[in-house]
Amino acid sequence: MTETSRAGTEQRIELEHVEQRFHARGTADGFMTAVDDASFSLTSDPPRVVSLVGQSGSGKSTIARNILGLQKPTGGRITFNGRDIFSLSRTERDEYRRNVQPVFQDPYAIFNPIYRVDRVLWKAAKAFGLAKTRAAADELFEESLSAVRLDPGRVLGRYPHQLSGGQRQRVMLARVHMLRPAFIIADEPVSMLDAQVRKLFLDILLDFKQQYQMTTLFITHDLSTVYYLGGDVMVITKGEIVERGPVATVMHEPSHPYTQLLLDSVPRPDPDQRWTDRITV
Ligand SMILES: Nc1ncnc2c1ncn2[C@@H]1O[C@H](COP(=O)(O)OP(=O)(O)OP(=O)(O)O)[C@@H](O)[C@H]1O
Ligand SMILES: [Mg+2]
């Protein structure tokens, strides 16, 4: 497959005053606001990593679902290259789907346990017309699996439960590698991985940015991954983006008290301090 370069053809996702309200019991008006007036853009040229960080329930996944077109916001607008993503023509929608690829926390949920993992790759290759023959597809799978540092011989032909969580997650990255989207929407993709596999995953994302000009919206509650990825960060609390900017600036000079609170809650190991409290469960 030829390498794609997006230089000069900027792709753009724009959120304008996005609001997502849900029915909720026990509130004054019977609604809760999961996303409150969110405005930001993701652009592909130059490619960037933009992290969205906030605690549980702050509205991060809701924003991801809005962008992926899985949930239509109750207010505001999301556009792709200027067109509302909820009123795209069929061709435009296909282009959007190809260009905006999700990676979720638990890849096991995406695999059907009764099929071999190849099927996830095969379905993508078929849906987007990437390979005409089985032989061409196999070549493509091997290339993409190798790009995410998996040994094709040890992955193809296996069932999902025969792979580790980190391997399954990288098969999803291989799928992304095949499709070469302009944008990756990654919702807590490394939360269930151990430190070593987590670093590998993040390094692959950074490779994708560098080599294929992919821009990632990286959703997490973990500031250390934000720090590792660099780029820009947006801090969200109670549905509201309260701070944004380059990672180094936001981390070193937080201007919003909530960001300070997030920073303060990162445990820093202190070898001189032994833990004396008992843990009770
Ligand atoms: N379909 C829905 N119906 C009703 N309420 C919802 C729905 N989806 C999300 N919510 C509520 O919206 C709020 C934000 O949820 P969301 O899943 O976006 O949070 P999050 O930041 O992704 O949290 P976590 O870090 O735990 O994944 C929560 O209070 C949640 O209960
Ligand atoms: Mg979530």
Side-chain angles (χ1 to χ4, degrees):
M1 194 164 151
T2 52
E3 310 258 296
T4 50
S5 168
R6 291 194 184 81
T9 52
E10 191 190 67
Q11 312 269 358
R12 187 181 188 87
I13 298 174
E14 182 98 37
L15 279 75
E16 298 165 39
H17 308 291
V18 167
E19 179 207 72
Q20 182 69 60
R21 284 163 49 88
F22 290 119
H23 286 286
R25 289 188 193 173
T27 55
D29 61 357
F31 287 94
M32 61 86 63
T33 305
V35 179
D36 189 4
D37 196 15
S39 296
F40 63 87
S41 58
L42 299 170
T43 53
S44 66
D45 190 15
R48 305 185 293 159
V49 174
V50 180
S51 294
L52 178 62
V53 63
Q55 73 204 42
S56 182
S58 54
K60 306 181 296 297
S61 295
T62 305
I63 288 182
R65 292 173 55 77
N66 288 147
I67 295 174
L68 291 166
L70 302 171
Q71 173 96 50
K72 189 171 192 287
T74 44
R77 220 160 81 97
I78 303 178
T79 58
F80 176 57
N81 300 336
R83 305 265 298 117
D84 190 317
I85 64 159
F86 291 95
S87 48
L88 298 176
S89 68
R90 179 178 271 257
T91 336
E92 287 169 333
R93 195 162 51 237
D94 286 349
E95 200 197 331
Y96 189 65
R97 277 185 48 224
R98 164 109 193 227
N99 267 301
V100 186
Q101 282 293 315
V103 182
F104 294 115
Q105 177 177 18
D106 176 13
Y108 198 72
I110 296 176
F111 292 100
N112 187 329
I114 64 166
Y115 292 114
R116 293 183 167 90
V117 293
D118 318 26
R119 193 174 139 98
V120 161
L121 301 176
W122 177 239
K123 274 174 74 177
K126 226 170 99 182
F128 294 100
L130 301 180
K132 294 211 164 46
T133 61
R134 186 70 221 203
D138 280 340
E139 198 178 312
L140 193 61
F141 299 167
E142 286 183 17
E143 182 196 325
S144 291
L145 289 167
S146 306
V148 298
R149 296 166 222 175
L150 284 170
D151 177 352
R154 299 180 66 144
V155 171
L156 294 172
R158 295 234 187 163
Y159 289 94
H161 71 269
Q162 295 175 314
L163 300 183
S164 70
Q167 287 172 325
R168 279 196 295 269
Q169 196 61 299
R170 275 182 290 149
V171 173
M172 295 316 293
L173 277 186
R175 185 178 181 278
V176 168
H177 181 269
M178 276 169 44
L179 296 173
R180 308 273 160 88
F183 301 101
I184 303 172
I185 309 297
D187 188 357
E188 308 257 14
V190 296
S191 303
M192 291 182 3
L193 306 179
D194 72 29
Q196 203 183 351
V197 183
R198 178 176 305 185
K199 181 176 177 309
L200 178 59
F201 186 99
L202 300 178
D203 285 340
I204 294 169
L205 274 187
L206 293 172
D207 273 5
F208 281 5
K209 175 176 77 118
Q210 214 59 40
Q211 286 193 35
Y212 309 114
Q213 292 83 46
M214 296 184 199
T215 283
T216 296
L217 177 67
F218 189 88
I219 293 176
T220 184
H221 57 265
D222 173 25
L223 283 173
S224 61
T225 48
V226 174
Y227 205 76
Y228 188 79
L229 285 167
D232 291 324
V233 60
M234 301 184 288
V235 179
I236 183 170
T237 178
K238 295 182 189 147
E240 207 183 322
I241 296 170
V242 292
E243 179 151 11
R244 65 183 81 198
V247 169
T249 315
V250 170
M251 298 255 182
H252 293 134
E253 302 155 29
S255 65
H256 193 276
Y258 177 72
T259 313
Q260 187 61 55
L261 200 70
L262 265 187
L263 286 164
D264 289 346
S265 60
V266 177
R268 292 189 186 83
D270 180 352
D272 298 329
Q273 191 76 45
R274 271 200 71 203
W275 191 329
T276 50
D277 292 342
R278 288 181 78 89
I279 298 174
T280 46
V281 285

